[in-house]
Every structure is written in structure tokens, then in C-alpha cells.
Amino acid sequence: MASLNRNTEPKNLAIVGAGIMGRCLAWRLSGYEHRITLFDKDSKNHGSAAAYTAAGMLAPFSELEAAEDNIFLLGQHSIALWRDWLEVWNAEDLMAESGTLVLAHRQDIGSLHNFNQQLEAKLNALAGQQKEALLLSKQQLSELAPELAQHFDQATFLKSEAYLDNHAVMDCMAKQLETADIKWRENCEVRSISDNQLVSDNGAEAFDHIFDCRGLGAKNDIQSLRAVRGEVIRVYSKEVRLKHMVRLMHPRYRLYLVPKPNYEYVLGATQIESEDYSPLSVRSALELLSALYTIHPGFAEARIVESQSNCRPARPDNQPLIKHSKGLSQINGLFRHGFLLAPALADITARLFHGECQKNVELARLSEAMIDSQE
């Protein structure tokens, strides 16, 4: 596998897009002596990136049931990177490693059994992962999460999963990139990108290499991209004291409930094949809120803080892509897995750029499946 760059001398680099992918890549590349300019059409403190709508889940085991093995392996690598980065930033409190409880009401218990069977089969094929999923009886669930045991008779506990405070992480990364002397062009939209050159609101500029992390903003340049709409609701409730992520088996959606600081919870997410940025629909709101109440009746008096919708970039096979041509790399297609995949993809991209990927056999193997080289 060829590296993206065989010369490791300091370069003048541009990263376009400051969502979670662009920020992770900027941080990973900041460990070298390159001059890095980060372009984004929004403010560095907030914007339209899908990362602001996300729940911040780091759930590779939950996703393994329906995703390919490489998503699981990349996700595990990302969790290790998040631990390292948050320690460096003195921000370990932004990540909670309390695991996920997978639940089902009695009418959906077959879906939970099917989930367990598929997960067990996939974990058995991955060395060293067989003991991750713990099947809990009602008594065991009551010891771990007594509030949930009142309404559920069993659960599957995925002990190694985690979640991030996504808004706080985005803010923290902005501050860290400023400290790392990344030149940030906020409120500066990039109109076009070609090998070694881009045209933004500030005019045309040339760089030694450009990394395109615009997500759906790159749809005109990556024809295979499609939009997948997601919707979330954030609520406030002092009546509920859950500390674990919850996945609820649902006939229509992959429903997750993620605790946030200050008694808030994020419930999501719908997965709709549509490039629709309009507000949350009545149907989605009713189904999400009904599911929320069935998880814990204490949510009946919860206050709705906000509802959000956004679109995420996906490829036909829902797999991420690192597409390379001379002077330009495109990292895209993170689908629903932005926080789960971005650190690993940033690490692989940086290693490829510096000819270091072969030093890690597992990462080299994973990158082979994603790299599209047009040299």
C-alpha cells in the first residue's frame, strides 16, 4: 500500500470542514511540524455540523449487530484514542465509560433475543471479544440499574461502551486546536477544491496538500454520497437518574437514550433516507417521546429542552472512505458513526500521509478496505 506522502518535511496543509472529522484530523496532524489551516463555513463555537446533533455514542458492540467488522474495529481504536486525547486535554470527565443496557418490552423480547444471537455470532468470530456481552436477569438488572428493573425483566449489558458530551467535546477541541497554533478560518466557505488548490470566500489559495472533510458539503465531488436524516430530542428531568446508555428494541428505529450533564438526556435517533433539514416531524416526536416514557415513567414530567434534525453523509454500503489523488485527500461517509469513527480515520489518514501505516498491521489492513487511490 502506497503512502500518501513519502516526504515528511513540514508542509503547508489545509483541512476543509471543522466538524468532528476535521477537528480530529487537525489535532492528529498537529503532532507534526506542518503549517495547518482549518477552513469552515461556520463559527468555531457552533455550527451546522452533524456532530452538534449527535448523541456522542461510542458503541461499537451495539453497532456490530448490523455493521461490518471494520466499523467495530475502528470504533475500538477510536475509544482508545479518545481516552488518550482527553487525558492530554485534562478533560477526562467529558467521557463516561458506563456501558450500554440493551432492553426490550415484552412484545419486543424476540428482537432482543435476535440481537443477542447475532452479536454473539459476530463476537465469536473476533478473538478475545466473547465475554463482552453480559445477559442480566431481573435481579442483576435491579442491582445495576434499579430504576429500569421496575419495567424490564432482562437486559444485555455491553460493559465496554461509552459516550461523550458531544457539545463540550467540540468546544474543547476548538480550544485545543487554537493552543496547537492551527490557523482557523471560521465563517469562510470553500467554494471549490482541486489538487493542491482551493477557492474560498477569501479567494484562491495553494497548499502542499488538502484534506476535504466537508461531509455532505463534498457531495458534488463525491458522487456516491447520500444524505441520511437523523432526529434527536433533548430533555431535562431530575426525576430520572440513569447513568448508562440505553438501547431500546423498537420495530422501526434504532433507539438510544444517552445521559448528559445537568440531568439532561438525549433520545435518538431516527434514520430516514432523505436530504431533509426541516424540523422534527410530529410522527417522529410522538414515537420518540412515547418510547422515552416507556423506558422510565419519570420522564412524564421531563421538560423538552430542544429537538434537532440533521443529515449525515453516507455511501451506498455505509462504509467510510479515504479517497486520495495527488495533493488532495477526501475523508467522508461516516454515516451515523461520527464520534465513533473520526479519531481512527484521522489516525489512519495521518499515518498514510507520513508513510507510517505499515507500522501498525491492524490499521494497515483496515485502511486497505477504505483507501481509494487515484495516483
Side-chain angles (χ1 to χ4, degrees):
M1 176 179 56
S3 65
L4 304 190
N5 175 50
R6 297 176 180 83
N7 189 336
T8 58
E9 294 180 359
K11 300 289 185 180
N12 184 23
L13 306 178
I15 299 173
V16 184
I20 190 60
M21 187 66 245
R23 295 186 194 208
C24 285
L25 183 58
W27 173 254
R28 182 61 178 81
L29 289 173
S30 70
Y32 302 89
E33 296 182 355
H34 304 301
R35 299 183 302 280
I36 301 173
T37 304
L38 180 60
F39 291 83
D40 197 70
K41 62 185 178 64
D42 296 322
S43 163
K44 67 178 67 174
N45 297 318
H46 197 66
S48 58
Y52 289 109
T53 311
M57 297 178 300
L58 305 177
F61 291 91
S62 296
E63 294 299 322
L64 183 58
E65 171 232 2
E68 300 297 329
D69 290 356
N70 69 314
I71 301 298
F72 172 81
L73 296 170
L74 288 167
Q76 288 202 308
H77 184 49
S78 284
I79 290 176
L81 288 170
W82 279 123
R83 287 194 195 106
D84 292 343
W85 293 357
L86 291 167
E87 182 179 3
V88 171
W89 303 338
N90 194 28
E92 295 97 327
D93 60 330
L94 300 185
M95 179 175 172
E97 298 190 64
S98 54
T100 300
L101 285 166
V102 187
L103 305 170
H105 295 293
R106 290 180 182 176
Q107 68 270 21
D108 298 317
I109 203 68
S111 297
L112 179 59
H113 293 161
N114 186 57
F115 171 88
N116 291 336
Q117 291 171 1
Q118 292 189 54
L119 181 61
E120 182 181 10
K122 288 198 172 185
L123 289 177
N124 284 335
L126 295 167
Q129 303 295 341
Q130 296 88 339
K131 297 182 180 180
E132 168 61 29
L134 303 176
L135 304 183
L136 304 182
S137 65
K138 188 177 185 70
Q139 177 60 35
Q140 291 170 318
L141 178 59
S142 68
E143 294 171 0
L144 185 66
E147 293 180 80
L148 295 175
Q150 299 176 41
H151 306 281
F152 296 93
D153 296 328
Q154 57 185 286
T156 299
F157 182 44
L158 305 175
K159 59 184 178 180
S160 296
E161 297 195 327
Y163 59 91
L164 297 163
D165 183 352
N166 60 313
H167 288 178
V169 166
M170 292 290 279
D171 291 343
C172 179
M173 295 191 81
K175 294 174 183 175
Q176 294 299 323
L177 293 176
E178 289 176 350
T179 303
D181 290 330
I182 304 296
K183 187 176 182 181
W184 198 315
R185 301 271 189 87
E186 58 182 324
N187 302 310
C188 181
E189 186 168 1
V190 171
R191 306 293 180 178
S192 65
I193 303 175
S194 57
D195 294 346
N196 300 105
Q197 183 169 297
L198 60 78
V199 178
S200 73
D201 292 340
N202 292 338
E205 296 178 73
F207 294 87
D208 294 320
H209 200 89
I210 299 172
F211 298 90
D212 185 355
C213 303
R214 290 177 295 168
L216 285 170
K219 192 174 180 180
N220 290 336
D221 297 320
I222 304 177
Q223 298 298 319
S224 62
L225 280 183
R226 76 183 200 282
V228 179
R229 175 181 166 92
E231 300 168 324
V232 299
I233 295 177
R234 182 180 289 256
V235 300
Y236 168 88
S237 175
K238 275 194 172 183
E239 303 299 317
V240 181
R241 301 295 177 91
L242 299 177
K243 65 177 182 178
H244 304 91
M245 285 192 298
V246 172
R247 177 177 174 187
L248 180 66
M249 292 291 110
H250 188 278
R252 277 174 44 82
Y253 301 134
R254 299 173 66 87
L255 279 172
Y256 293 91
L257 178 66
V258 183
K260 297 295 178 182
N262 303 317
Y263 305 105
E264 292 187 354
Y265 297 84
V266 169
L267 179 71
T270 54
Q271 183 178 312
I272 302 168
E273 295 288 334
S274 172
E275 190 166 355
D276 177 6
Y277 290 89
S278 64
L280 186 73
S281 69
V282 170
R283 177 179 182 176
S284 293
L286 288 172
E287 292 192 334
L288 289 172
L289 291 173
S290 296
L292 182 66
Y293 176 69
T294 67
I295 292 173
H296 193 307
F299 282 119
E301 296 301 322
R303 296 299 182 257
I304 299 174
V305 177
E306 64 179 352
S307 64
Q308 293 181 307
S309 60
N310 211 328
C311 292
R312 299 154 294 189
R315 299 172 63 225
D317 58 1
N318 294 333
Q319 298 293 301
L321 172 71
I322 301 174
K323 187 174 183 180
H324 171 65
S325 59
K326 186 177 180 181
L328 173 64
S329 296
Q330 297 164 300
I331 305 95
N332 217 312
L334 275 66
F335 187 39
R336 300 187 306 104
H337 309 127
F339 282 90
L340 182 65
L341 296 185
L345 296 180
D347 187 36
I348 288 174
T349 300
R351 289 171 183 264
L352 286 168
F353 185 70
H354 296 96
E356 299 172 355
C357 212
Q358 292 291 358
K359 295 179 182 179
N360 186 309
V361 176
E362 182 65 25
L363 291 183
R365 185 184 70 80
L366 286 171
S367 64
E368 289 282 5
M370 294 183 292
I371 275 287
D372 180 0
S373 180
Q374 299 180 352
E375 289 185 290

